[in-house]
Amino acid sequence: MKIGEVAKLTGLSVKRIRYYHDIGLVLGLRGDNGYREYSQSSIEALLFIQHCRTLGFALEECKTLLELQNNSDRNAADVKALAMHHLQDIETRITQLSNLREQLAQLIHDCQGGEQPNCAILTGLSQKQNGAG
């Protein structure tokens, strides 16, 4: 299947598929006409990677998961450990985002707005916060 057809089928852009090809995640074989041709297994790999990316896995993690997917001798504990590590990263980011939301909400609350020049948001952003660099 040609790259344009694969793009329509998977919902990935042609550029993204080429990138995945260039970094060795999924390979299309070049035909005599010079066009890349993708097999059903390549399409399945692209869909797998797309799902991994939707869940927030980094490309290197996607590569590892794809290798594990293609390895019938894999150890499910390795897959679980990778997924658990990713979940811990997500939980950390959620905590950080929650803290950022609270800080920003407080700054907005403290600002009176209006046409006056004093702004609690700018004042708050000018002050060094604990843990901020």
Side-chain angles (χ1 to χ4, degrees):
M1 189 176 294
K2 289 187 176 67
I3 196 168
E5 296 170 294
V6 173
K8 287 179 187 172
L9 184 65
T10 62
L12 295 167
S13 69
V14 168
K15 184 177 180 178
R16 175 73 46 192
I17 296 168
R18 282 189 186 124
Y19 176 69
Y20 289 163
H21 176 94
D22 291 345
I23 65 172
L25 272 178
V26 177
L27 299 177
L29 300 176
R30 293 241 184 230
D32 292 337
N33 57 8
Y35 292 112
R36 292 178 180 136
E37 292 283 335
Y38 290 88
S39 65
Q40 183 61 36
S41 63
S42 294
I43 293 167
E44 290 169 7
L46 286 166
L47 291 169
F48 182 87
I49 293 164
Q50 182 183 34
H51 193 193
C52 291
R53 295 293 287 157
T54 300
L55 291 173
F57 285 99
L59 277 178
E60 194 57 39
E61 293 169 320
C62 292
K63 181 179 180 182
T64 301
L65 287 167
L66 187 59
E67 288 169 355
L68 288 165
Q69 168 75 358
N70 293 329
N71 180 358
S72 60
D73 293 328
R74 69 183 166 261
N75 186 337
D78 294 336
V79 180
K80 185 174 182 176
L82 195 148
M84 287 175 58
H85 182 266
H86 183 61
L87 180 60
Q88 289 170 345
D89 288 345
I90 290 171
E91 303 257 348
T92 299
R93 287 192 306 238
I94 289 171
T95 300
Q96 291 169 339
L97 286 171
S98 179
N99 290 337
L100 291 174
R101 181 184 60 206
E102 289 174 20
Q103 290 175 28
L104 185 56
Q106 186 63 50
L107 289 172
I108 292 168
H109 176 268
D110 292 346
C111 182
Q112 296 176 5
E115 295 181 17
Q116 59 156 340
N118 296 331
C119 178
I121 297 170
L122 295 175
T123 302
L125 291 173
S126 298
Q127 297 172 350
K128 183 174 180 173
Q129 298 292 314
N130 290 336

